[in-house]
Amino acid sequence: MNLANRNLVTIDDLSNSEIEALFSLADEMANSPNEQAGLCQGKIMASLFFEPSTRTRLSFEAGMLRLGGRVITAVDIGASSLAKGESLADMARVVGSYANIIVTRHPWEGAAKVVADYAGVPVINAGDGSHEHPTQTLCDLYTIRKERRTLKGLRIALWGDLKHGRTIHSLIYALARFGATILFRPGPGLEMPEHVLRRLSTEYKGELKRYEAVNQEVEEGLFPIDAIYMTPSSPHQLAMLPDVSLQVELKAGVDALYVTRLQKERYAPTVEAQELKKGYPVVDKKLLKGKEFKKTLVMHPLPRVDELTHEVDADPRSMYFKQAAYGMPVRMALIALLLGAKEITIPEKDDSFALKPDYPVYKRDSGVKCPNINCVSNQETEARYIKPEFKIVSREPLTLRCVYCDHELHPRYVASSDWHEGRLENKRYHSADSHFARKIKPENLIIFASENEAQTQQFKPSSYVRQ
Ligand code: NCD
């Protein structure tokens, strides 16, 4: 099978079997890194890194050089034409005419999708704001696979800034797909975003259970977690173990502890940010003495700050430098595949847990915007050409998911473009939760940001508008 010309914007762009095959190729690259120089000769990779990076950029660039290709780099928005107000789309088109493959990192969520939509060459997302960082996830999974052979049934704890950690968001979807049990240990106020949780329980078939974290700590003397997610290796596990499930899970031991730093660049330096820092959980020698961590792999995407003490480095359970080193063979394999320099064989049957539902898409000029101010679709330079676009992920309640950043919104007013007998006096809008609104076919649905918006477009309230 050929992955040539594909993009990697979200971890869901690769199936489980494709990831497994990529790992076999990464093994080949790791075993003979000096013998790959013929693979990408004559090819150019553009690395566009508009946020700080050491490991990701350098492992991509070193990987491309080892594959015999060459690299061009832009690392500073201020030194690129983006600073003059150029759009990402224009930049992508231009760079796509110079390079055979693009790796990009940008602070806006959804930026990598825009680059991929316009570049005309394969695009790899090396981090877009708080959204996703799929190649870090490949390194993380590769590390766990190397140490534990499988991901299925493992108990993996995600630690720290679950709200803004893009490595966390890509990793969680992949872990769910590979059948891991996920334990959540957020810093206070840094819980997993609702849209991520919703997607976990609707698209990956698993079961999510929330806990009162603070009580758990007091009662059990165990490290407090605020939620647990189980993939469906045996259905309804949590339902069958209502209150004891947490203790059972923790006592059986944690296979990997995935620590992340407070993503301080995503906050304004306010008093609130100071508070977040103060309450941030730390992984140190003392914590790792706990029984449940006896055989735990201690992981971190790096860079670390204060959340993982240096005393842990000498502990054989620490994996983070290995994890970073694996970045090169994993990224070499990815570049070689997307450039069509290597092919992979994958089994017919792919046992991904993702349902990949085919949601209807909503794309109209009716005033609805993504609620995420950091979404690429809300930026001045990009809003000139990007039309907000959403997947209609639920009708009850009406839920739209932004195709760029995955944030969700619940609009309150809708209409049908197919109004009764085409007569203007029948141009009515309705409450989105009315039974009439739910009957409107997706292709006819018009969604309003507010009642005012509906009235500006000459719609009148129907009797299905709740006051
Ligand atoms: C991560 C990132 O950039 O999201 N770093 C990395 O690529 N290894 C994690 C982080 O910055 O905290």
Side-chain angles (χ1 to χ4, degrees):
M1 187 171 170
N2 198 324
L3 297 191
N5 298 321
R6 293 250 297 262
N7 300 308
L8 180 61
V9 171
T10 141
I11 193 65
D12 280 354
D13 286 335
L14 292 172
S15 72
N16 287 14
S17 304
E18 287 166 348
I19 292 176
E20 302 273 5
L22 186 146
F23 288 166
S24 307
L25 187 56
D27 287 340
E28 209 179 304
M29 301 286 173
N31 291 337
S32 51
N34 299 327
E35 288 162 32
Q36 313 298 336
L39 281 176
C40 293
Q41 235 165 31
K43 303 284 187 195
I44 293 181
M45 179 180 91
S47 53
L48 311 175
F49 276 69
F50 303 123
E51 268 195 340
S53 172
T54 307
R55 275 151 294 272
T56 309
R57 180 164 72 87
L58 295 185
S59 60
F60 263 116
E61 295 187 354
M64 185 57 168
L65 295 175
R66 285 190 182 273
L67 292 166
R70 280 172 295 175
V71 178
I72 52 176
T73 309
V75 290
D76 177 9
I77 287 194
S80 79
S81 284
L82 293 180
K84 300 179 187 167
E86 183 173 48
S87 68
L88 283 173
D90 286 359
M91 180 202 67
R93 278 198 179 111
V94 172
V95 178
S97 69
Y98 302 153
N100 305 95
I101 187 164
I102 296 175
V103 183
T104 177
R105 171 173 288 188
H106 197 286
W108 294 338
E109 290 161 37
K113 174 172 161 49
V114 175
V115 176
D117 286 347
Y118 288 88
V121 296
V123 170
I124 300 172
N125 180 8
D128 57 337
S130 301
H131 182 221
E132 283 213 39
H133 188 351
T135 65
Q136 180 62 47
T137 294
L138 294 177
C139 303
D140 303 338
L141 298 181
Y142 186 72
T143 308
I144 304 173
R145 280 282 313 273
K146 283 260 165 235
E147 301 296 322
R148 292 284 184 272
R149 290 178 167 268
T150 178
L151 289 153
K152 206 170 181 156
L154 295 188
R155 279 172 297 270
I156 315 249
L158 303 181
W159 182 282
D161 192 345
L162 311 193
K163 186 171 178 189
H164 292 99
R166 56 192 173 199
T167 63
I168 291 275
H169 301 154
S170 292
L171 181 60
I172 198 166
Y173 300 135
L175 290 176
R177 279 167 44 188
F178 278 101
T181 290
I182 308 163
L183 312 168
F184 301 67
R185 178 19 169 150
L190 298 167
E191 290 78 18
M192 195 70 78
E194 280 304 315
H195 68 271
V196 176
L197 294 179
R198 230 184 65 85
R199 189 159 148 192
L200 265 189
S201 37
T202 53
E203 271 155 56
Y204 302 89
K205 295 191 207 158
E207 197 181 340
L208 182 75
K209 186 155 180 143
R210 300 177 193 222
Y211 295 92
E212 283 299 326
V214 182
N215 293 342
Q216 289 295 341
E217 182 174 35
V218 176
E219 284 167 25
E220 311 303 331
L222 294 168
F223 87 102
I225 64 175
D226 83 334
I228 181 170
Y229 173 87
M230 276 195 180
T231 33
S233 40
S234 61
H236 311 304
Q237 296 166 342
L238 286 174
M240 290 182 328
L241 296 169
D243 285 329
V244 290
S245 55
L246 174 62
Q247 289 92 313
V248 171
E249 278 308 308
L250 284 180
K251 283 190 180 137
V254 174
D255 293 287
L257 189 57
Y258 190 89
V259 190
T260 58
R261 76 182 166 91
L262 177 69
Q263 306 284 301
K264 69 174 178 8
E265 66 275 37
R266 313 277 174 229
Y267 304 89
T270 55
V271 180
E272 192 205 356
Q274 286 304 319
E275 289 304 307
L276 292 175
K277 200 168 167 201
K278 264 195 239 153
Y280 205 80
V282 174
V283 171
D284 55 14
K285 238 171 146 174
K286 189 168 157 243
L287 178 102
L288 294 174
K289 285 208 171 101
K291 254 197 195 143
E292 65 273 29
F293 298 120
K294 211 165 164 204
K295 293 188 183 147
T296 303
L297 308 172
V298 182
M299 302 178 69
H300 195 306
L302 301 178
R304 75 168 135 190
V305 192
D306 298 320
E307 67 288 346
L308 175 60
T309 58
H310 284 256
E311 62 189 11
V312 180
D313 298 1
D315 191 304
R317 291 169 290 184
S318 72
M319 287 292 132
Y320 27 97
F321 292 113
K322 255 191 188 174
Q323 216 176 323
Y326 287 145
M328 198 174 65
V330 166
R331 291 181 170 115
M332 283 171 80
L334 178 66
I335 298 169
L337 287 171
L338 300 188
L339 283 175
K342 278 277 188 188
E343 298 211 337
I344 48 174
T345 0
I346 56 169
E348 291 251 307
K349 187 178 150 283
D350 190 335
D351 62 350
S352 298
F353 284 109
L355 292 174
K356 282 220 174 177
D358 206 3
Y359 294 120
V361 168
Y362 183 77
K363 190 178 182 181
R364 274 179 202 266
D365 282 320
S366 61
V368 266
K369 282 198 176 126
C370 175
N372 173 11
I373 51 165
N374 201 33
C375 176
V376 68
S377 67
N378 284 327
Q379 310 307 317
E380 199 185 324
T381 47
E382 316 306 309
R384 294 189 189 117
Y385 65 98
I386 294 179
K387 225 186 210 187
E389 189 176 332
F390 305 91
K391 292 181 186 159
I392 305 175
V393 296
S394 158
R395 291 296 290 265
E396 249 173 285
L398 180 60
T399 310
L400 302 188
R401 181 188 298 156
C402 173
V403 299
Y404 294 98
C405 71
D406 286 330
H407 280 238
E408 291 183 345
L409 69 153
H410 301 281
R412 292 182 48 211
Y413 301 101
V414 302
S416 169
S417 59
D418 182 25
W419 51 81
H420 188 55
E421 292 174 349
R423 294 216 306 266
L424 280 185
E425 63 270 29
N426 291 332
K427 221 177 144 181
R428 304 273 173 188
Y429 66 92
H430 325 277
S431 286
D433 59 0
S434 63
H435 83 98
F436 185 83
R438 289 198 286 268
K439 284 199 299 207
I440 302 171
K441 290 195 192 125
E443 63 272 26
N444 294 335
L445 200 60
I446 303 176
I447 299 171
F448 302 108
S450 62
E451 275 200 88
N452 199 13
E453 176 75 37
Q455 289 166 10
T456 314
Q457 295 186 37
Q458 272 90 51
F459 285 83
K460 294 197 190 77
S462 75
S463 53
Y464 299 108
V465 172
R466 226 178 288 282
Q467 291 308 320

